[in-house]
């Protein structure tokens, strides 16, 4: 049984990750391939509990290293229980967010040293990096209004400069890392989906 492929969808809040995750999974199934969709932080009951801890508003400020370690703890569980078993069973895994988010939010946003994240990634998933990452790029001033009218979590309450730093790291990684395909997600949803479909087809046919 050939190993499945690991596809991640990345981007800031309101970029359209959830909106496009099912679409990506459907494209994969349309090719006759088996696949599952999941997300981070979360994806297992325990990792979803960690997610709730991370997103909750609280009086106590959360130390950036604590936040980073919690994210990697959830990731280790998610890898062990969902990502690896499905890849080994030949299924394609479509995951909203993974370690590129940690570089963007914890290094870019919070100021955690990148080498800390590199070392944790080495420890937790040295042999399991995404095969393809679809990075949905949206300027902060376009993305934030998309969230209007819904309750905001601890991250979404951050100031604009935080989200600008997050985006800068994403853009830098999209330039530097071959597996990351940047898609302008500020356009109409149909146009974004067309580009996602094209990137996925290229990957399936050549990758
Ligand atoms: N986090 C972290 O810090 N470090 C890590 O390593 C990881 C995560 C893994 C929760 O993630 C938080 O975890 C996240 C970072 C942190 N914090 N924040 N903020 P999440 O992925 O669950 O949260 P999110 O990014 O906030 O989700 P989101 O706001 O729902 O974004 P989205 O999934 O990209 O957007 P969406 O729900 O698909 O779309 C939002 C709205 O925009 C919706 O009404 C859509 O209909 C609309 N939309 C989508 N695309 C379009 C286009 N093209 N045009 C117009 N409207 C659109």
């Amino acid at each position: 049984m050939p190993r499945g492929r690991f596809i991640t969808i990345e981007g800031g809040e309101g970029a359209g990750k959830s909106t496009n995750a099912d679409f990506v999974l459907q494209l994969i199934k349309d090719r006759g391939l088996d696949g599952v969709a999941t997300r981070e932080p979360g994806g297992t009951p325990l990792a979803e509990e960690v997610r709730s801890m991370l997103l909750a508003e609280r009086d106590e400020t959360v130390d950036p290293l604590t936040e980073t370690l919690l994210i990697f703890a959830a990731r280790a569980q998610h890898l062990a229980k969902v990502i690896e078993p499905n890849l080994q069973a030949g299924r394609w895994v479509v995951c909203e967010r993974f370690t590129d988010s940690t570089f963007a939010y914890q290094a870019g946003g919070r100021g955690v040293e990148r080498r800390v994240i590199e070392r944790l990634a080495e420890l937790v998933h040295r042999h399991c990096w995404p095969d393809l990452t679809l990075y949905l790029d949206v300027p902060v001033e376009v993305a934030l209004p998309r969230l209007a009218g819904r309750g905001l979590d601890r991250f979404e309450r951050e100031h604009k400069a935080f989200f600008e730093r997050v985006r800068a790291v994403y853009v830098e990684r999209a330039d530097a890392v071959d597996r990351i395909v940047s898609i302008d997600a500020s356009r109409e949803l149909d146009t974004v989906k067309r580009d996602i479909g094209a990137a996925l087809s290229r990957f399936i046919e050549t990758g």
Side-chain angles (χ1 to χ4, degrees), residues 8 11 17 32 41 73 77 93 95 98 102 111 141 157 163 173 179 195 197 199 205:
T8 55
K17 297 177 297 300
Q77 183 72 3
V93 174
C95 185
F98 195 64
T102 321
E141 58 276 14
R157 288 180 192 280
F163 297 118
R173 286 182 71 74
R179 73 174 153 79
D195 282 7
E205 282 148 28

Side-chain angles (χ1 to χ4, degrees), residues 74-143:
R75 184 161 297 144
Q77 183 72 3
H78 190 208
L79 278 153
K81 297 292 177 188
V82 174
I83 298 175
E84 270 298 344
N86 276 293
L87 291 174
Q88 280 171 23
R91 287 183 209 101
W92 289 45
V93 174
V94 178
C95 185
E96 287 177 56
R97 297 194 181 280
F98 195 64
T99 296
D100 294 306
S101 283
T102 321
F103 280 106
Y105 285 81
Q106 278 61 53
R110 305 277 195 227
V112 172
E113 284 184 53
R114 287 186 198 204
R115 69 184 173 87
V116 169
I117 296 167
E118 284 160 2
R119 287 175 69 181
L120 288 167
E122 170 85 5
L123 180 72
V124 171
H125 62 91
R126 183 173 13 157
H127 300 300
C128 187
W129 283 89
D131 298 297
L132 171 70
T133 296
L134 300 163
Y135 164 54
L136 305 181
D137 183 47
V138 188
V140 175
E141 58 276 14
V142 175

Side-chain angles (χ1 to χ4, degrees), residues 3-31:
R3 185 177 165 87
R5 310 306 297 272
F6 183 22
I7 298 180
T8 55
I9 306 178
E10 289 282 358
E13 29 290 305
K17 297 177 297 300
S18 303
T19 305
N20 288 297
D22 284 346
F23 174 66
V24 170
L25 186 62
Q26 192 53 52
L27 291 177
I28 287 166
K29 290 184 173 174
D30 289 348
R31 297 272 187 151

Side-chain angles (χ1 to χ4, degrees), residues 11-20 39-41 51 55 67 71 75 96-98 101-102 105-106 146-147 150 153 155-156 163 185 187-189 192:
E13 29 290 305
K17 297 177 297 300
S18 303
T19 305
N20 288 297
R39 69 169 181 182
E40 289 213 348
R51 175 191 178 89
L55 299 193
E67 185 176 274
I71 286 166
R75 184 161 297 144
E96 287 177 56
R97 297 194 181 280
F98 195 64
S101 283
T102 321
Y105 285 81
Q106 278 61 53
R146 291 181 182 174
L147 309 182
R150 77 180 201 195
D153 63 41
F155 287 89
E156 290 165 341
F163 297 118
R187 298 167 299 164
E188 295 271 316
L189 189 53
V192 175

